[in-house]
Amino acid sequence: MFLPLFLAMLWGGSQALDSFKLQVQEFVMVQEGLCMVVPCSIFYPSRGWSPTTPAYGFWFRDQTPKPSLPVATNKPDQDVDTSTQGRFQLLGDPSESCSLLIREAHLEDSAVYFFRFERGDYVKYNFMEYKFYLEVTALTQKPEIYVPEILQPGHQVTLFCAFNWIFDECPVPTLSWIGNTVSPNEASSRTSYFSELTFTPRPQDHNTELTCRVDFSREGVSTENTVRLSVAYAPKDLVISISYTDEPALEPRGDSPHLEVQKGQSLQLLCTADSLPLATLSWTLQDRVLSWSHPLGSTALELALPRVKAEDAGRYTCRAENRLGFLSRSLDLSVQYAPENLKVMVSQANRTALENLESGASLRVLEGQSLRLLCVAHSNPPAQLSWARLGRTVSPSQPSDPGVLELPQIQTEQEGEFTCRAQNPLGSQNNSLSLFVVSPPQLLGPSCSQEDEGLRCSCSSRARPAPSLRWRLGERLLEGELSNASFEVASSSAGPWANSSLSLREGLSSGLRLSCEALNGHGAQSGSVLLLPDEKGLASGAFASGISLGIGVTTLLFLCFIFILVRTLRKKWTQAKVPAPAPAPAPGEAPRSRFSRRSTILDYINVIPKAGPLKQKAKPSSPSQPPPADGHSLEARKNQKELHPVSHNCPGPKSSLQASEAENNQEELHYAVLNFPGLRPWETQRPEGTHPEYAEIQFH
């Protein structure tokens, strides 16, 4: 019996439930202090009420065991919860709408709410199955301020503030501006969801705060938003920092403009600058750009110098620039290293052109020439330069410039190794060169003498390196060691001296020209000997013609008179001049016979040659070995020049061969010695029809 009744009640309840409906959000969230509307629609049966029947709606906080007073209702004289009184309100006609307005939400308003509807006798229903949950959170909603990212100083700008929380049924909040840039007129509050502010930024307005505030009620519930103004400015506060390989942290250098590093170290330079908008940063070395940053890049620019080299030294400049100006700062980088690239440059004979010499090079210099050696090295700190010869320090020519070594006149004893040394606290470097003194040939000779077997001539020369000697016999060139039936050439050398002798056995004739030539890589000299005619054949022919004895006696007396006169004049001459000594025989040679009965009128001719092709006359130094005995000293030839000049004052015509030799050959005959060993009684008369070859003979 109870079961059918219970089922009937369930069925009736389901029919009634189907006829009461409510549409509302299940979850509603609002921030503390804000106002919002919870939309709601109601559906109920059309029984037990007429159009004039009033409709009442109630919103309750769902509480156990039973609900308390409603939080909002439209029923007159109905008490409501004091915590929500005046803040919760039904909107519209409850017969159609159950929407709820919530003003100034409080955190304690968070709860589950349901709606109750009453109209007439039948429609009285709690919509427990259509609840919504209200969550009140902390106030985070802020007004939005619209401001350009960068304000240009001196250019007027307008800022906007808006509060994006608008409901038609909610009261309009009050907006106000707060900040140093706000004038008194613009600081007043305005009831609106939107506000604007116009002002002209100044440089001092950069980084200042500007606030837009929103007030919702008289109880002080408000929200605000603050922005920091960015007013453009030129670069400032530029800083250069450094770090080494073993020091990862950057080290600010402050105002120090100088930095010293050793060659091979790794270095990083960092440049930072403050500017708005961001400046373009760049690194330059001297006038060469090394790196730069993108205009919208970072506020810092790094420059890496791995394994610093000597050429990395110089002034590094960081420059920051934007459209409002620029700023730069420099750092002088000094790279320290031991001496390197040591070079020796040489200038010879007062020449201005310099020649680079490699270490260990050989330098050949003409004896008597000037030499200037210049030593140059790259190092930091600057190296101390010094010169040494054979391990002993040489005093510098210029104390203010010890890298310069001047040798005014090179002598043989200055040969050897010269070393330039460059040294600083980080190390040292040496560069050596070998100096060799060279000289052109200095010829001694040739000198010739008549011997039983023929004519013997000798020639000596001194030079560095030792010269080579050769003979010219007429147009024929004789070199080296030669020997045949007609002539023999013998040569020897010792140190800077070279000796050569020529023995002629056949082919002697008047007008024969002999030359001795000395040469090496630095010059050449030559001397000549010219054989004069022979009187022997002429005298014997005269006697064979049968000249009378009287004429011979007369001639003999005349010659004796001349001989006495010559002896007298010669005695006076020797008082004024000292005669030259006779040449000494060479070592190992037999003494030469003074004269033989078969000697010619011209026994020998001694010639001191002219200077060679070199314009500069070198002063002969003492030879390492004395010249051979065959040669004659220069001093002896000077004396001989004074004592035995050849006369060219003969009234008769000169021989055509002699004239051609004097005109065409630069190696003219300078000196001649004529010796008469004695008169032969049977050769004092000349045959008739003969004529002498010489018009005049002078004795001194």
Side-chain angles (χ1 to χ4, degrees), residues 414-439:
Q414 291 177 312
E415 278 191 344
E417 185 180 70
F418 286 79
T419 302
C420 175
R421 179 181 178 86
Q423 184 174 11
N424 71 0
L426 300 178
S428 63
Q429 191 176 22
N430 297 334
N431 194 337
S432 300
L433 62 93
S434 297
L435 179 64
F436 294 95
V437 180
V438 299
S439 61

PDB file of all heavy atoms in Angstrom, residues 414-439:
ATOM      1  N   GLN A 414     140.941  45.115 -38.943  1.00  0.00           N
ATOM      2  CA  GLN A 414     139.561  45.188 -38.478  1.00  0.00           C
ATOM      3  C   GLN A 414     138.713  44.027 -38.975  1.00  0.00           C
ATOM      4  O   GLN A 414     137.512  43.994 -38.742  1.00  0.00           O
ATOM      5  CB  GLN A 414     138.925  46.510 -38.915  1.00  0.00           C
ATOM      6  CG  GLN A 414     139.511  47.725 -38.213  1.00  0.00           C
ATOM      7  CD  GLN A 414     138.929  49.026 -38.703  1.00  0.00           C
ATOM      8  OE1 GLN A 414     138.835  49.250 -39.905  1.00  0.00           O
ATOM      9  NE2 GLN A 414     138.532  49.893 -37.771  1.00  0.00           N
ATOM     10  N   GLU A 415     139.316  43.101 -39.692  1.00  0.00           N
ATOM     11  CA  GLU A 415     138.584  41.926 -40.129  1.00  0.00           C
ATOM     12  C   GLU A 415     138.110  41.123 -38.923  1.00  0.00           C
ATOM     13  O   GLU A 415     138.720  41.131 -37.859  1.00  0.00           O
ATOM     14  CB  GLU A 415     139.466  41.038 -41.014  1.00  0.00           C
ATOM     15  CG  GLU A 415     139.540  41.471 -42.450  1.00  0.00           C
ATOM     16  CD  GLU A 415     140.203  40.427 -43.325  1.00  0.00           C
ATOM     17  OE1 GLU A 415     140.875  39.523 -42.775  1.00  0.00           O
ATOM     18  OE2 GLU A 415     140.050  40.517 -44.543  1.00  0.00           O
ATOM     19  N   GLY A 416     137.031  40.411 -39.102  1.00  0.00           N
ATOM     20  CA  GLY A 416     136.527  39.544 -38.050  1.00  0.00           C
ATOM     21  C   GLY A 416     135.015  39.565 -37.972  1.00  0.00           C
ATOM     22  O   GLY A 416     134.333  40.106 -38.847  1.00  0.00           O
ATOM     23  N   GLU A 417     134.492  38.981 -36.909  1.00  0.00           N
ATOM     24  CA  GLU A 417     133.049  38.868 -36.724  1.00  0.00           C
ATOM     25  C   GLU A 417     132.541  40.015 -35.866  1.00  0.00           C
ATOM     26  O   GLU A 417     133.035  40.252 -34.766  1.00  0.00           O
ATOM     27  CB  GLU A 417     132.691  37.532 -36.072  1.00  0.00           C
ATOM     28  CG  GLU A 417     131.190  37.292 -35.955  1.00  0.00           C
ATOM     29  CD  GLU A 417     130.862  35.965 -35.310  1.00  0.00           C
ATOM     30  OE1 GLU A 417     131.109  35.835 -34.097  1.00  0.00           O
ATOM     31  OE2 GLU A 417     130.370  35.072 -36.012  1.00  0.00           O
ATOM     32  N   PHE A 418     131.546  40.700 -36.370  1.00  0.00           N
ATOM     33  CA  PHE A 418     130.872  41.765 -35.637  1.00  0.00           C
ATOM     34  C   PHE A 418     129.478  41.273 -35.258  1.00  0.00           C
ATOM     35  O   PHE A 418     128.767  40.715 -36.101  1.00  0.00           O
ATOM     36  CB  PHE A 418     130.776  43.034 -36.483  1.00  0.00           C
ATOM     37  CG  PHE A 418     132.072  43.776 -36.622  1.00  0.00           C
ATOM     38  CD1 PHE A 418     133.035  43.352 -37.528  1.00  0.00           C
ATOM     39  CD2 PHE A 418     132.327  44.887 -35.841  1.00  0.00           C
ATOM     40  CE1 PHE A 418     134.221  44.033 -37.658  1.00  0.00           C
ATOM     41  CE2 PHE A 418     133.520  45.577 -35.976  1.00  0.00           C
ATOM     42  CZ  PHE A 418     134.475  45.148 -36.880  1.00  0.00           C
ATOM     43  N   THR A 419     129.089  41.478 -34.017  1.00  0.00           N
ATOM     44  CA  THR A 419     127.812  40.972 -33.504  1.00  0.00           C
ATOM     45  C   THR A 419     127.010  42.112 -32.906  1.00  0.00           C
ATOM     46  O   THR A 419     127.528  42.884 -32.090  1.00  0.00           O
ATOM     47  CB  THR A 419     128.022  39.881 -32.443  1.00  0.00           C
ATOM     48  OG1 THR A 419     128.772  38.804 -33.008  1.00  0.00           O
ATOM     49  CG2 THR A 419     126.679  39.348 -31.933  1.00  0.00           C
ATOM     50  N   CYS A 420     125.774  42.228 -33.337  1.00  0.00           N
ATOM     51  CA  CYS A 420     124.836  43.186 -32.739  1.00  0.00           C
ATOM     52  C   CYS A 420     123.918  42.426 -31.790  1.00  0.00           C
ATOM     53  O   CYS A 420     123.390  41.370 -32.150  1.00  0.00           O
ATOM     54  CB  CYS A 420     124.018  43.887 -33.818  1.00  0.00           C
ATOM     55  SG  CYS A 420     122.744  44.969 -33.133  1.00  0.00           S
ATOM     56  N   ARG A 421     123.740  42.949 -30.611  1.00  0.00           N
ATOM     57  CA  ARG A 421     122.914  42.303 -29.589  1.00  0.00           C
ATOM     58  C   ARG A 421     121.813  43.257 -29.148  1.00  0.00           C
ATOM     59  O   ARG A 421     122.075  44.423 -28.858  1.00  0.00           O
ATOM     60  CB  ARG A 421     123.756  41.898 -28.379  1.00  0.00           C
ATOM     61  CG  ARG A 421     122.964  41.230 -27.253  1.00  0.00           C
ATOM     62  CD  ARG A 421     123.889  40.885 -26.097  1.00  0.00           C
ATOM     63  NE  ARG A 421     123.176  40.292 -24.983  1.00  0.00           N
ATOM     64  CZ  ARG A 421     122.906  39.002 -24.862  1.00  0.00           C
ATOM     65  NH1 ARG A 421     123.312  38.168 -25.810  1.00  0.00           N
ATOM     66  NH2 ARG A 421     122.252  38.519 -23.814  1.00  0.00           N
ATOM     67  N   ALA A 422     120.574  42.741 -29.156  1.00  0.00           N
ATOM     68  CA  ALA A 422     119.403  43.506 -28.680  1.00  0.00           C
ATOM     69  C   ALA A 422     118.843  42.781 -27.462  1.00  0.00           C
ATOM     70  O   ALA A 422     118.570  41.576 -27.529  1.00  0.00           O
ATOM     71  CB  ALA A 422     118.351  43.616 -29.767  1.00  0.00           C
ATOM     72  N   GLN A 423     118.653  43.493 -26.368  1.00  0.00           N
ATOM     73  CA  GLN A 423     118.232  42.859 -25.120  1.00  0.00           C
ATOM     74  C   GLN A 423     117.266  43.754 -24.367  1.00  0.00           C
ATOM     75  O   GLN A 423     117.452  44.972 -24.300  1.00  0.00           O
ATOM     76  CB  GLN A 423     119.448  42.554 -24.249  1.00  0.00           C
ATOM     77  CG  GLN A 423     119.114  41.798 -22.960  1.00  0.00           C
ATOM     78  CD  GLN A 423     120.357  41.391 -22.196  1.00  0.00           C
ATOM     79  OE1 GLN A 423     121.455  41.833 -22.516  1.00  0.00           O
ATOM     80  NE2 GLN A 423     120.211  40.537 -21.213  1.00  0.00           N
ATOM     81  N   ASN A 424     116.196  43.133 -23.846  1.00  0.00           N
ATOM     82  CA  ASN A 424     115.290  43.803 -22.911  1.00  0.00           C
ATOM     83  C   ASN A 424     114.932  42.804 -21.808  1.00  0.00           C
ATOM     84  O   ASN A 424     115.383  41.656 -21.847  1.00  0.00           O
ATOM     85  CB  ASN A 424     114.062  44.372 -23.638  1.00  0.00           C
ATOM     86  CG  ASN A 424     113.112  43.300 -24.122  1.00  0.00           C
ATOM     87  OD1 ASN A 424     113.326  42.112 -23.933  1.00  0.00           O
ATOM     88  ND2 ASN A 424     112.042  43.714 -24.777  1.00  0.00           N
ATOM     89  N   PRO A 425     114.143  43.191 -20.807  1.00  0.00           N
ATOM     90  CA  PRO A 425     113.858  42.258 -19.704  1.00  0.00           C
ATOM     91  C   PRO A 425     113.189  40.961 -20.121  1.00  0.00           C
ATOM     92  O   PRO A 425     113.203  39.990 -19.357  1.00  0.00           O
ATOM     93  CB  PRO A 425     112.944  43.086 -18.786  1.00  0.00           C
ATOM     94  CG  PRO A 425     113.298  44.502 -19.070  1.00  0.00           C
ATOM     95  CD  PRO A 425     113.622  44.540 -20.520  1.00  0.00           C
ATOM     96  N   LEU A 426     112.608  40.886 -21.318  1.00  0.00           N
ATOM     97  CA  LEU A 426     111.903  39.680 -21.736  1.00  0.00           C
ATOM     98  C   LEU A 426     112.773  38.730 -22.546  1.00  0.00           C
ATOM     99  O   LEU A 426     112.347  37.615 -22.843  1.00  0.00           O
ATOM    100  CB  LEU A 426     110.659  40.057 -22.542  1.00  0.00           C
ATOM    101  CG  LEU A 426     109.628  40.911 -21.803  1.00  0.00           C
ATOM    102  CD1 LEU A 426     108.465  41.255 -22.713  1.00  0.00           C
ATOM    103  CD2 LEU A 426     109.126  40.193 -20.567  1.00  0.00           C
ATOM    104  N   GLY A 427     113.966  39.153 -22.956  1.00  0.00           N
ATOM    105  CA  GLY A 427     114.828  38.260 -23.727  1.00  0.00           C
ATOM    106  C   GLY A 427     115.833  39.051 -24.546  1.00  0.00           C
ATOM    107  O   GLY A 427     115.988  40.274 -24.397  1.00  0.00           O
ATOM    108  N   SER A 428     116.566  38.330 -25.399  1.00  0.00           N
ATOM    109  CA  SER A 428     117.596  38.954 -26.221  1.00  0.00           C
ATOM    110  C   SER A 428     117.678  38.236 -27.556  1.00  0.00           C
ATOM    111  O   SER A 428     117.182  37.114 -27.716  1.00  0.00           O
ATOM    112  CB  SER A 428     118.955  38.920 -25.519  1.00  0.00           C
ATOM    113  OG  SER A 428     119.378  37.577 -25.329  1.00  0.00           O
ATOM    114  N   GLN A 429     118.357  38.886 -28.530  1.00  0.00           N
ATOM    115  CA  GLN A 429     118.569  38.324 -29.855  1.00  0.00           C
ATOM    116  C   GLN A 429     119.864  38.889 -30.410  1.00  0.00           C
ATOM    117  O   GLN A 429     120.182  40.058 -30.192  1.00  0.00           O
ATOM    118  CB  GLN A 429     117.405  38.640 -30.792  1.00  0.00           C
ATOM    119  CG  GLN A 429     117.439  37.872 -32.108  1.00  0.00           C
ATOM    120  CD  GLN A 429     116.216  38.152 -32.971  1.00  0.00           C
ATOM    121  OE1 GLN A 429     115.563  39.166 -32.819  1.00  0.00           O
ATOM    122  NE2 GLN A 429     115.913  37.246 -33.878  1.00  0.00           N
ATOM    123  N   ASN A 430     120.623  38.029 -31.105  1.00  0.00           N
ATOM    124  CA  ASN A 430     121.903  38.415 -31.688  1.00  0.00           C
ATOM    125  C   ASN A 430     121.847  38.290 -33.200  1.00  0.00           C
ATOM    126  O   ASN A 430     121.114  37.464 -33.748  1.00  0.00           O
ATOM    127  CB  ASN A 430     123.046  37.540 -31.151  1.00  0.00           C
ATOM    128  CG  ASN A 430     123.235  37.714 -29.658  1.00  0.00           C
ATOM    129  OD1 ASN A 430     122.905  38.748 -29.100  1.00  0.00           O
ATOM    130  ND2 ASN A 430     123.772  36.701 -29.005  1.00  0.00           N
ATOM    131  N   ASN A 431     122.661  39.104 -33.860  1.00  0.00           N
ATOM    132  CA  ASN A 431     122.825  39.027 -35.303  1.00  0.00           C
ATOM    133  C   ASN A 431     124.299  39.303 -35.605  1.00  0.00           C
ATOM    134  O   ASN A 431     124.823  40.350 -35.218  1.00  0.00           O
ATOM    135  CB  ASN A 431     121.938  40.035 -36.014  1.00  0.00           C
ATOM    136  CG  ASN A 431     121.832  39.772 -37.500  1.00  0.00           C
ATOM    137  OD1 ASN A 431     122.695  39.129 -38.094  1.00  0.00           O
ATOM    138  ND2 ASN A 431     120.779  40.275 -38.112  1.00  0.00           N
ATOM    139  N   SER A 432     124.952  38.355 -36.269  1.00  0.00           N
ATOM    140  CA  SER A 432     126.390  38.464 -36.530  1.00  0.00           C
ATOM    141  C   SER A 432     126.654  38.552 -38.023  1.00  0.00           C
ATOM    142  O   SER A 432     125.885  38.040 -38.846  1.00  0.00           O
ATOM    143  CB  SER A 432     127.139  37.263 -35.941  1.00  0.00           C
ATOM    144  OG  SER A 432     126.952  37.194 -34.539  1.00  0.00           O
ATOM    145  N   LEU A 433     127.785  39.196 -38.342  1.00  0.00           N
ATOM    146  CA  LEU A 433     128.249  39.241 -39.727  1.00  0.00           C
ATOM    147  C   LEU A 433     129.777  39.171 -39.711  1.00  0.00           C
ATOM    148  O   LEU A 433     130.436  39.597 -38.754  1.00  0.00           O
ATOM    149  CB  LEU A 433     127.761  40.489 -40.444  1.00  0.00           C
ATOM    150  CG  LEU A 433     128.207  41.850 -39.916  1.00  0.00           C
ATOM    151  CD1 LEU A 433     129.477  42.325 -40.632  1.00  0.00           C
ATOM    152  CD2 LEU A 433     127.109  42.884 -40.118  1.00  0.00           C
ATOM    153  N   SER A 434     130.330  38.601 -40.767  1.00  0.00           N
ATOM    154  CA  SER A 434     131.778  38.477 -40.901  1.00  0.00           C
ATOM    155  C   SER A 434     132.265  39.541 -41.865  1.00  0.00           C
ATOM    156  O   SER A 434     131.772  39.650 -42.988  1.00  0.00           O
ATOM    157  CB  SER A 434     132.146  37.080 -41.410  1.00  0.00           C
ATOM    158  OG  SER A 434     131.753  36.090 -40.471  1.00  0.00           O
ATOM    159  N   LEU A 435     133.245  40.330 -41.393  1.00  0.00           N
ATOM    160  CA  LEU A 435     133.779  41.425 -42.185  1.00  0.00           C
ATOM    161  C   LEU A 435     135.102  40.986 -42.819  1.00  0.00           C
ATOM    162  O   LEU A 435     136.016  40.533 -42.109  1.00  0.00           O
ATOM    163  CB  LEU A 435     133.993  42.665 -41.310  1.00  0.00           C
ATOM    164  CG  LEU A 435     134.569  43.896 -42.007  1.00  0.00           C
ATOM    165  CD1 LEU A 435     133.609  44.396 -43.061  1.00  0.00           C
ATOM    166  CD2 LEU A 435     134.860  44.992 -40.989  1.00  0.00           C
ATOM    167  N   PHE A 436     135.189  41.076 -44.130  1.00  0.00           N
ATOM    168  CA  PHE A 436     136.402  40.770 -44.869  1.00  0.00           C
ATOM    169  C   PHE A 436     136.852  42.046 -45.579  1.00  0.00           C
ATOM    170  O   PHE A 436     136.059  42.699 -46.264  1.00  0.00           O
ATOM    171  CB  PHE A 436     136.163  39.660 -45.896  1.00  0.00           C
ATOM    172  CG  PHE A 436     135.839  38.336 -45.273  1.00  0.00           C
ATOM    173  CD1 PHE A 436     134.523  37.949 -45.092  1.00  0.00           C
ATOM    174  CD2 PHE A 436     136.849  37.490 -44.859  1.00  0.00           C
ATOM    175  CE1 PHE A 436     134.210  36.744 -44.518  1.00  0.00           C
ATOM    176  CE2 PHE A 436     136.546  36.265 -44.290  1.00  0.00           C
ATOM    177  CZ  PHE A 436     135.231  35.879 -44.113  1.00  0.00           C
ATOM    178  N   VAL A 437     138.156  42.382 -45.392  1.00  0.00           N
ATOM    179  CA  VAL A 437     138.717  43.578 -46.001  1.00  0.00           C
ATOM    180  C   VAL A 437     139.376  43.172 -47.315  1.00  0.00           C
ATOM    181  O   VAL A 437     140.202  42.254 -47.357  1.00  0.00           O
ATOM    182  CB  VAL A 437     139.736  44.245 -45.075  1.00  0.00           C
ATOM    183  CG1 VAL A 437     140.316  45.500 -45.732  1.00  0.00           C
ATOM    184  CG2 VAL A 437     139.070  44.607 -43.756  1.00  0.00           C
ATOM    185  N   VAL A 438     139.001  43.816 -48.382  1.00  0.00           N
ATOM    186  CA  VAL A 438     139.554  43.533 -49.698  1.00  0.00           C
ATOM    187  C   VAL A 438     140.204  44.808 -50.228  1.00  0.00           C
ATOM    188  O   VAL A 438     139.921  45.915 -49.749  1.00  0.00           O
ATOM    189  CB  VAL A 438     138.465  43.033 -50.674  1.00  0.00           C
ATOM    190  CG1 VAL A 438     137.851  41.749 -50.178  1.00  0.00           C
ATOM    191  CG2 VAL A 438     137.379  44.094 -50.864  1.00  0.00           C
ATOM    192  N   SER A 439     141.096  44.632 -51.204  1.00  0.00           N
ATOM    193  CA  SER A 439     141.785  45.781 -51.795  1.00  0.00           C
ATOM    194  C   SER A 439     142.138  45.455 -53.228  1.00  0.00           C
ATOM    195  O   SER A 439     142.354  44.291 -53.583  1.00  0.00           O
ATOM    196  CB  SER A 439     143.036  46.131 -50.993  1.00  0.00           C
ATOM    197  OG  SER A 439     143.949  45.035 -51.006  1.00  0.00           O
TER     198      SER A 439
END
